[in-house]
Amino acid sequence: AITKEEMEKLVDMDEVIMPFIPGYLDFRNQRRNTKWPPQKITNYHLSQIFGSRDEDETIDVVDYEKSDWYWQCTKPFPSAIETVKKLFKDGFNLFRNTSRQWEISRVAIAFLKAHFKSLKYFSDFGFGNRYPLNNNESHILKIEYCDRFSADLHIDDSLSEALFLARHGRTVILFDYQGKTAWNQCDVLPPNIIRVKSWPEVYQTIKRLTAEG
């Protein structure tokens, strides 16, 4: 359980605050003349799905997030904004933690500012820089940001990330929007991973865990 003294929470961005795959696939399908549907994305390691190189997918992702297409296609999940604001009002410190590249960190922050109207709801920001554009750049694990921000609860859509964090003693809320997140399905989860299907469920789960503490 999370005690009332442990108020720091990490929140992933893609597929937690907002969907990423549907808009990205529209962009990529047009660029590469393909017809991949979202339900075929059963692994967030996209190069394994598409049979491509990591560096090619990184270029496509970065180009998408720098494009007008990204802003037209991407909106927060229902109740995400309201729930984050409620948690902030309740006294929780929320840290936005993502694997996104440093190259597009400004886009991510601009997105949050545009939709939340303020960055005050997030105490700090972590960018893992997974699959960097520059091979000389480092990659920061999400658990490193957990340690840096002293956070014991993480909200993520990645099953592999959730299992890794759970093995290292973190409580994870696994975000599975409407039960349709193909890449995080699993019949059995450890007790410190809680699956939720909406942002109201995120709020209820955090309040319950805090009350149990």
Side-chain angles (χ1 to χ4, degrees), residues 108-142:
I109 291 173
F111 178 90
L112 293 173
K113 190 171 183 178
H115 288 282
F116 285 83
K117 309 304 180 186
S118 173
L119 297 178
K120 70 178 183 180
Y121 304 107
F122 299 93
S123 300
D124 209 336
F125 303 89
F127 291 90
N129 201 40
R130 184 171 292 178
Y131 312 120
L133 284 175
N134 186 338
N135 290 331
N136 295 324
E137 293 176 350
S138 60
H139 166 218
I140 302 173
L141 298 174
K142 286 184 177 178

Side-chain angles (χ1 to χ4, degrees), residues 9-163:
K9 320 296 175 199
L10 288 180
V11 185
D12 189 21
M13 188 163 179
D14 297 323
E15 312 300 345
V16 174
I17 289 180
M18 28 66 76
F20 176 83
I21 287 296
Y24 173 64
L25 283 182
D26 285 345
F27 175 86
R28 188 186 187 281
N29 282 336
Q30 185 178 63
R31 169 177 276 194
R32 297 187 176 272
N33 195 29
T34 55
K35 296 181 179 180
W36 285 93
Q39 59 267 30
K40 292 290 187 180
I41 308 303
T42 56
N43 181 346
Y44 223 87
H45 194 160
L46 297 177
S47 62
Q48 293 180 1
I49 295 291
F50 300 134
S52 56
R53 300 184 308 165
D54 285 344
E55 50 266 40
D56 292 335
E57 292 308 318
T58 297
I59 290 170
D60 280 354
V61 166
V62 169
D63 286 350
Y64 167 60
E65 295 196 37
K66 288 182 174 180
S67 71
D68 292 338
W69 199 304
Y70 173 78
W71 290 94
Q72 294 167 7
C73 292
T74 309
K75 308 296 180 187
F77 281 117
S79 300
I81 295 173
E82 297 86 347
T83 303
V84 166
K85 290 181 177 181
K86 282 174 65 176
L87 290 168
F88 174 82
K89 185 178 179 181
D90 289 348
F92 292 96
N93 293 321
L94 302 178
F95 299 89
R96 217 276 304 126
N97 186 21
T98 179
S99 294
R100 286 193 187 196
Q101 293 86 359
W102 297 334
E103 174 79 16
I104 47 179
S105 59
R106 291 183 180 180
V107 175
I109 291 173
F111 178 90
L112 293 173
K113 190 171 183 178
H115 288 282
F116 285 83
K117 309 304 180 186
S118 173
L119 297 178
K120 70 178 183 180
Y121 304 107
F122 299 93
S123 300
D124 209 336
F125 303 89
F127 291 90
N129 201 40
R130 184 171 292 178
Y131 312 120
L133 284 175
N134 186 338
N135 290 331
N136 295 324
E137 293 176 350
S138 60
H139 166 218
I140 302 173
L141 298 174
K142 286 184 177 178
I143 196 166
E144 294 181 62
Y145 280 118
C146 287
D147 292 337
R148 186 177 302 182
F149 299 143
S150 300
D152 288 323
L153 176 66
H154 188 76
I155 307 170
D156 209 298
D157 66 291
S158 167
L159 178 62
S160 60
E161 198 78 65
L163 292 170

